[in-house]
Amino acid sequence: MTQLLLLRHAKSEWDNPGLRDIDRPLAPRGQRAAADIARAISDSGLLPDRVLCSPATRTRETLAALRPYLGKENEVIFVDGLYESSPRDYLRAITQLGGDADTLMVIGHNPATQGTAMALAGAGEPAILADIAAKYPTGGLTVIAFDRDDWMGMTERSGRVTRFIKPRDLEAEPSGKDHQD
C-alpha cells in the first residue's frame, strides 16, 4: 500500500507587487502555518520517504518547515513541472518520480493540488471529499491511500482519501493534533 500527501504551500506574502510570482515568500502567518502542519505531519506519523516540490520560493519555504522532521534518507526532488501546472502534470510527476516511496509528498500550488486530490479520490468520507472540493486552503494537506505498491500506472479515482488537514483547524486545537473534517 502507498500513501500520497498533497500539500498546498502555506500563505504567501503579497506586499511586494514588483516581485515575480515564483519568488513570493511565505507571509508570517504562512510561516506559522507551515510549522503547524509540519508538526501535525510528524505527530501523525505521515512523514514521506520522498518529496516532490515546486521550485517556487513559497513551496521551498513550506518544505523548510518540514525538514527538521525528515531523516537524511528522505529524498527531495524539485520539479519545475509542479509550478504553473495542472492536475495532469502532477499525476505525471507522481507516476514518473514516485519511485519506490511508500509515502510520497507533493508540495505545490492551487488549483492543481485541489484538482489532483479530486481526480485521485475514488473513495473516502463524503464530508471530507466535500470539504476538499469546496476549498483547498493554503497549507492544506490531503492524505490519499492506494491499494498498490508502486506509483507507475496509478489512475484517476484509484485512491481513498483518509484525511484533510487544514492549518486553521490546527490553530484551534491546543494539542496541535490533526483531526478528520
Side-chain angles (χ1 to χ4, degrees):
M1 187 164 103
T2 54
Q3 181 167 240
L4 178 65
L5 311 176
L6 291 171
L7 178 60
R8 183 179 176 197
H9 66 79
K11 181 75 174 160
S12 59
E13 184 67 63
W14 287 87
D15 288 347
N16 187 345
L19 200 60
R20 294 182 319 152
D21 180 70
I22 197 167
D23 296 326
R24 277 191 295 115
L26 293 181
R29 185 176 107 202
Q31 293 168 354
R32 289 188 302 276
D36 288 345
I37 200 77
R39 275 190 301 279
I41 288 167
S42 177
D43 290 350
S44 299
L46 294 171
L47 292 173
D49 305 308
R50 177 175 288 178
V51 177
L52 306 179
C53 185
S54 160
T57 299
R58 59 195 177 272
T59 53
R60 288 175 178 264
E61 289 181 358
T62 301
L63 170 64
L66 188 61
R67 284 224 190 242
Y69 302 100
L70 297 176
K72 293 191 185 312
E73 67 280 357
N74 298 93
E75 184 177 9
V76 176
I77 302 170
F78 293 97
V79 182
D80 289 341
L82 295 178
Y83 178 72
E84 293 187 339
S85 57
S86 69
R88 184 176 311 270
D89 298 317
Y90 277 43
L91 293 173
R92 186 177 310 112
I94 291 164
T95 58
Q96 292 176 356
L97 302 172
D100 61 356
D102 291 325
T103 300
L104 177 66
M105 175 180 273
V106 176
I107 304 175
H109 311 268
N110 247 11
T113 301
Q114 180 181 32
T116 302
M118 295 309 300
L120 292 174
E125 176 65 40
I128 296 174
L129 296 171
D131 204 14
I132 293 168
K135 182 176 182 185
Y136 206 106
T138 54
L141 174 76
T142 299
V143 181
I144 306 173
F146 297 90
D147 292 326
R148 55 181 312 115
D149 294 327
D150 65 5
W151 298 101
M152 294 299 297
M154 183 183 57
T155 60
E156 290 187 13
R157 304 256 180 249
S158 62
R160 179 178 42 84
V161 173
T162 60
R163 292 183 178 166
F164 184 42
I165 303 170
K166 299 176 283 188
R168 77 164 183 255
D169 295 336
L170 299 174
E171 292 171 4
E173 296 177 12
S175 67
K177 299 287 183 184
D178 70 296
H179 72 281
Q180 296 181 14
D181 285 311

